[in-house]
């Protein structure tokens, strides 16, 4: 489970600020209440990570794509920013302390970053389903990490 995608040297402005924080909180609550749904036109889940520095739980709505064997794929795009999103760093620090809310269920999951051919296959699937991700990649010189979330055995 190697997480290690460095920040790039160029990219779009990473979404931040009070409005973004409010919108993420609003969408996370809405997705939980409705038992799933769409965020920016894509299937979305609520990703809950443990802060790498604070140890506080952080929840973020993210787009997801179906992976093999009932897994979930997410892309740490940060809208094409030069840096990885904060939740990526939280996953890297605590890949086995992750929870998702999706399709009306709450699942404990383990996060694993994909590399090589496996990443390339997942990236092709993501950009075919949601072409905006290809645009995010064009904005930055970092390789956008793809994370597989797999349910942990009870």
């Amino acid at each position: 489970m190697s997480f290690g995608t460095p920040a790039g040297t160029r990219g779009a402005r990473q979404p931040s600020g009070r409005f973004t924080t409010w919108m993420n909180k609003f969408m996370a609550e809405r997705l939980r209440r409705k038992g799933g749904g769409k965020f920016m036109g894509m299937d979305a889940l609520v990703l809950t990570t443990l802060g790498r520095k604070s140890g506080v739980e952080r929840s973020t709505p993210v787009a997801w794509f179906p992976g093999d064997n009932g897994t979930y794929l997410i892309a740490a795009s940060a809208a094409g920013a030069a840096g990885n999103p904060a939740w990526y760093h939280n996953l890297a620090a605590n890949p086995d302390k992750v929870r998702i809310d999706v399709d009306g269920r709450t699942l404990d999951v383990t996060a694993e970053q994909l590399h090589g051919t496996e990443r390339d296959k997942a990236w092709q699937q993501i950009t075919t389903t949601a072409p905006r991700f290809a645009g995010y990649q064009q904005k930055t010189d970092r390789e956008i990490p793809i994370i597989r979330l797999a349910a942990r055995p009870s």
Side-chain angles (χ1 to χ4, degrees):
M1 284 191 239
S2 111
F3 285 80
T5 301
T9 58
R10 66 173 175 79
R13 186 178 147 274
Q14 191 160 158
S16 64
R18 286 185 180 171
F19 179 74
T20 300
T21 301
W22 177 84
M23 182 57 106
N24 281 343
K25 185 176 179 180
F26 172 80
M27 286 307 300
E29 289 173 4
R30 181 176 173 268
L31 289 167
R32 284 182 177 128
R33 192 173 52 251
K34 291 183 81 176
K38 303 257 185 211
F39 182 66
M40 296 177 62
M42 296 175 281
D43 289 329
L45 59 78
V46 180
L47 177 71
T48 302
T49 60
L50 195 60
R52 69 182 167 137
K53 294 179 186 176
S54 68
V56 173
E57 284 192 344
R58 307 286 185 192
S59 293
T60 309
V62 295
W64 71 272
F65 306 87
D68 295 335
N69 302 317
T71 61
Y72 302 85
L73 301 174
I74 59 176
S77 66
N84 294 307
W87 60 259
Y88 172 82
H89 300 290
N90 292 344
L91 287 178
N94 299 292
D96 57 343
K97 295 180 181 167
V98 183
R99 188 174 68 243
I100 60 173
D101 293 289
V102 62
D103 296 332
R105 302 178 299 154
T106 299
L107 301 171
D108 291 324
V109 297
T110 299
E112 174 186 16
Q113 182 170 339
L114 301 181
H115 298 282
T117 306
E118 204 171 22
R119 185 218 176 263
D120 295 343
K121 180 182 170 192
W123 182 249
Q124 180 64 41
Q125 175 191 343
I126 289 168
T127 56
T128 299
T129 305
R132 78 175 61 181
F133 281 89
Y136 296 156
Q137 184 62 75
Q138 291 173 353
K139 293 178 182 180
T140 184
D141 57 350
R142 72 179 166 93
E143 181 178 77
I144 293 176
I146 307 299
I147 311 300
R148 177 175 39 223
L149 303 171
R152 283 198 307 262
S154 306

